Amino acid sequence: MTTPAMTATATVGPATGADDSACLRAAADFVRRHDTATLLPLLLPGLDGPQLHALTRHLSFAHAALLVFPPDPATLRADLAACGLTADTPPLPSSVVRDRLAARHRRDAAGLDVSILRPGVRAADGTRRAVEVFALTVPPGSDLWPVAEHERAHQHEAHLAFEVLRPEPLLLRGLCALLADRGAVPDGGGYNPHENGTVLYFTVPAASLAGYRRVELYAPGDHRDVLAGHLADGPAGRPAGRSSTGTPADQPAETLLRLLTGAWATQALAACARLRLPDAVPPGESVDRAALAHRTGTDPRALATLLRYLAMLGVVTAEGERVRLTEVGALLREDAPASMRPLALMYGGPFYRSFGALDHTVRTGETAFDHLFGENHFDHFARDPELADLFDRSMAASTRMFDPVPGHPALVAAAARPDGGTVVDVAGGNGELLARVLTAHPGLRGVLLERPHAVEAARRTMAEAGCADRCTYRVGDFADVPAEGDVYLLSRVLHDWDDDRCRAILRHCERAMPAHADLLIVERLLPADGSASLATAWDVHMMCNVGGRERRADHYADLLAAAGLDLLAHTPLPLDAALLHARRPERP
């Protein structure tokens, strides 16, 4: 790979004209070598002590970004793997880069299916950062080849990103002013509703030594008021990167409209799943729209309207009269690994109805689901086998959050016990988590406590995982937690209940746990600083549908303490989840 000539102190940035895999490898190496304090002076020569201190207090080097053009998703995954990069979350649509490409090449944005992946990279200092990969699929013979060739040559989207640690409007404006004072020029930006984040781009001075000419400030949340001023300050006074949404005065109204139509997106995805549209499109292939209408028994004109909306949501791409699933859309196939089709049916079905009575919950404190259906959702689903099965499968749809759990030291230590350890999964659902743990540690045995219908589902899961001979089952309630386990699991259980019930559940666990045993809890944690998180949305969901709640880490620590347990640590999991580790206090 060739790179532009640099001074002796410069570091290699993106290589113009290089192939995708070489650019990915260079970006990963760059992220591994740098940190915030050393990188900022390279980007902004002459940055003095007070200004450098101000920036390093509020910014954290997050990732290096690049735009690649794989012929298909499989090739991109292979290129990432070859560079030691693994993305642990599904790709998201990138409305910001899509709109920039559309404006730069005078293309219809709807025809540019740009996605974002952020495979993690462990830096030299041990910090976890990422390579942000924007991907525009360009199959052989596609009319997008000129776009790919131009972008590879000029690297317009290659940049370095710093996350704003505490994004507040006044602080954001101050950071923008400080960068401008050091010669950085506003160069566009945007708000991505798919991940609720605002990006502000800058072009750094020509004297920069980092090898990257663009810098991004990433601020979690919707900061379009700050973005409007940033866009207005673009080069030569032009509204850099301004979308077609109109004047800044229009933005609050547009923001509200986008929020109000969120229910439409839910039902569009649910309808897509109910009609089995993804199952009618073979993976990696495109299907003629008329043929798709015939296969699914749908009205061609109405289907075309739905597909246009699904394309805007990043679920499908349209290539003339042909339709192709994106990686997001493929998750709605029934046969997809960790298929999210059950979630679409659940969120577009019973839970969608109960959210219509959210105001009743807020006004009275009563659970909307109970108000609508006349009973709590556990009893309601238990009386309907199809709903019970759908609920269990919807819970399993988010099991990618379990991927790191088997590697927890408590489970590794249990597996190393001479007599083989025992893991007790309390209210373990269909056994997905316990099956992963037993598969990862062949020396462990499992005990799963659940309701009768869930136990039957768990037996099937264990059999499919090849762990049936190492697992026993207990039908019962929380009062029936089995004794003599080495590790106890409580996965997505506590958020279903109020504090009194949680304390009771934890006391049942504590009474059953031997002195040496560990308790591992999987839940989403509300952020202590109020930053954007899936847990905040799930907190409303739990209140409305089951009468439960999400909690902060210190709240869980108090609940555990009331049950005679100490919260030792909590570590992040995929999908904004966390793994909490608790034990009995050590006695003198």
Side-chain angles (χ1 to χ4, degrees):
M1 178 178 71
T2 58
T3 57
M6 308 289 284
T7 66
T9 57
T11 56
V12 176
T16 58
D19 64 84
D20 289 347
S21 58
C23 289
L24 286 165
R25 190 170 292 105
D29 290 343
F30 187 98
V31 171
R32 290 188 182 99
R33 292 199 309 270
H34 293 88
D35 59 30
T36 308
T38 59
L39 191 51
L40 283 169
L42 291 174
L43 287 165
L44 304 169
L47 194 65
D48 59 22
Q51 288 180 323
L52 177 60
H53 178 69
L55 288 178
T56 53
R57 275 183 57 208
H58 298 293
L59 300 179
S60 175
F61 177 40
H63 63 255
L66 71 163
L67 173 61
V68 298
F69 304 91
D72 51 63
T75 300
L76 175 59
R77 288 193 295 270
D79 283 346
L80 290 172
C83 300
L85 300 172
T86 302
D88 54 8
T89 57
L92 291 171
S94 171
S95 55
V96 176
V97 172
R98 178 201 64 194
D99 290 348
R100 285 173 60 88
L101 284 174
R104 195 153 54 237
H105 296 278
R106 298 181 180 180
R107 296 270 183 156
D108 180 3
L112 300 173
D113 179 28
V114 183
S115 60
I116 312 174
L117 286 165
R118 294 191 180 91
V121 172
R122 187 70 65 181
D125 62 1
T127 304
R128 182 175 173 82
R129 301 195 181 97
V131 175
E132 184 171 70
V133 182
F134 300 108
L136 174 62
T137 300
V138 181
S142 168
D143 66 348
L144 294 175
W145 270 108
V147 174
E149 291 177 355
H150 174 90
E151 294 296 325
R152 280 194 175 113
H154 294 87
Q155 296 288 335
H156 292 298
E157 299 305 325
H159 64 264
L160 302 177
F162 295 83
E163 181 169 354
V164 182
L165 298 178
R166 293 184 178 273
E168 301 169 355
L170 186 60
L171 174 62
L172 283 175
R173 291 188 177 95
L175 291 172
C176 290
L178 200 160
L179 289 174
D181 183 61
R182 300 310 313 164
V185 178
D187 186 27
Y191 169 69
N192 190 343
H194 300 288
E195 59 181 25
N196 189 30
T198 305
V199 295
L200 309 171
Y201 289 125
F202 296 83
T203 300
V204 297
S208 171
L209 301 176
Y212 285 80
R213 292 301 314 281
R214 296 178 68 241
V215 167
E216 169 196 310
L217 296 190
Y218 174 76
D222 186 347
H223 301 284
R224 277 181 274 190
D225 50 348
V226 178
L227 176 65
H230 175 78
L231 297 178
D233 292 336
R238 65 177 173 83
R242 187 184 298 276
S243 69
S244 59
T245 58
T247 65
D250 295 330
Q251 289 180 352
E254 181 190 342
T255 298
L256 184 57
L257 278 176
R258 290 182 183 275
L259 294 173
L260 288 171
T261 59
W264 302 355
T266 301
Q267 281 303 331
L269 294 169
C272 178
R274 290 190 202 102
L275 295 168
R276 297 187 176 276
L277 300 182
D279 297 304
V281 181
E285 299 181 19
S286 63
V287 174
D288 181 76
R289 283 193 314 197
L292 183 59
H294 178 73
R295 290 181 188 179
T296 56
T298 53
D299 178 78
R301 182 178 178 280
L303 178 61
T305 300
L306 175 60
L307 290 172
R308 188 159 53 244
Y309 187 38
L310 292 173
M312 189 182 82
L313 296 176
V315 177
V316 301
T317 59
E319 304 165 0
E321 292 297 312
R322 301 188 70 80
V323 176
R324 182 188 301 269
L325 291 175
T326 65
E327 291 191 359
V328 173
L331 290 172
L332 292 174
R333 288 180 57 88
E334 189 167 35
D335 62 356
S339 168
M340 299 184 79
R341 182 175 185 270
L343 274 178
L345 298 176
M346 185 63 70
Y347 291 166
F351 289 156
Y352 188 87
R353 288 183 59 193
S354 54
F355 255 105
L358 176 60
D359 59 327
H360 175 83
T361 294
V362 176
R363 186 167 52 248
T364 67
E366 299 174 0
T367 305
F369 192 101
D370 298 13
H371 172 67
L372 283 177
F373 294 97
E375 58 187 340
N376 70 64
H377 102 285
F378 294 109
D379 291 340
H380 185 73
F381 289 172
R383 290 193 304 100
D384 186 328
E386 289 188 9
L387 266 181
D389 178 64
L390 177 61
F391 177 73
D392 288 339
R393 287 188 291 118
S394 71
M395 291 290 287
S398 298
T399 54
R400 58 176 54 84
M401 69 172 60
F402 296 156
D403 288 348
V405 173
H408 191 278
L411 290 166
V412 174
R417 292 177 66 86
D419 56 346
T422 298
V423 180
V424 178
D425 196 351
V426 179
N430 71 346
E432 178 69 29
L433 175 56
L434 185 56
R436 290 183 182 224
V437 170
L438 297 184
T439 300
H441 302 291
L444 287 176
R445 298 180 302 276
V447 181
L448 186 135
L449 172 69
E450 252 297 0
R451 298 156 295 165
H453 84 272
V455 163
E456 292 309 309
R459 290 182 189 276
R460 293 192 294 272
T461 301
M462 291 296 171
E464 291 170 1
C467 303
D469 60 339
R470 289 190 286 128
C471 188
T472 58
Y473 308 90
R474 302 283 181 87
V475 174
D477 202 346
F478 294 113
D480 305 309
V481 176
E484 303 307 320
D486 298 295
V487 180
Y488 287 74
L489 303 177
L490 269 178
S491 175
R492 298 179 294 178
V493 170
L494 298 179
H495 73 164
D496 288 333
W497 306 101
D498 62 21
D499 284 0
D500 287 342
R501 184 63 166 148
C502 283
R503 281 187 282 266
I505 292 169
L506 291 170
R507 288 190 187 105
H508 288 310
C509 292
E510 189 273 340
R511 280 194 289 268
M513 292 167 59
H516 70 277
D518 296 272
L519 175 62
L520 299 181
I521 300 170
V522 177
E523 294 288 356
R524 288 190 169 93
L525 296 180
L526 288 172
D529 60 0
S531 57
S533 168
L534 285 173
T536 305
W538 253 260
D539 197 23
V540 179
H541 170 68
M542 302 312 294
M543 175 183 71
C544 183
N545 285 288
V546 300
R549 61 186 299 183
E550 305 295 349
R551 298 170 172 89
R552 298 192 330 187
D554 56 355
H555 194 157
Y556 278 116
D558 291 342
L559 295 175
L560 286 160
L565 297 166
D566 281 349
L567 177 60
L568 303 181
H570 56 88
T571 54
L573 296 175
L575 302 182
D576 252 5
L579 184 62
L580 294 83
H581 179 200
R583 297 191 75 171
R584 281 204 182 93
E586 291 189 11
R587 305 298 183 191

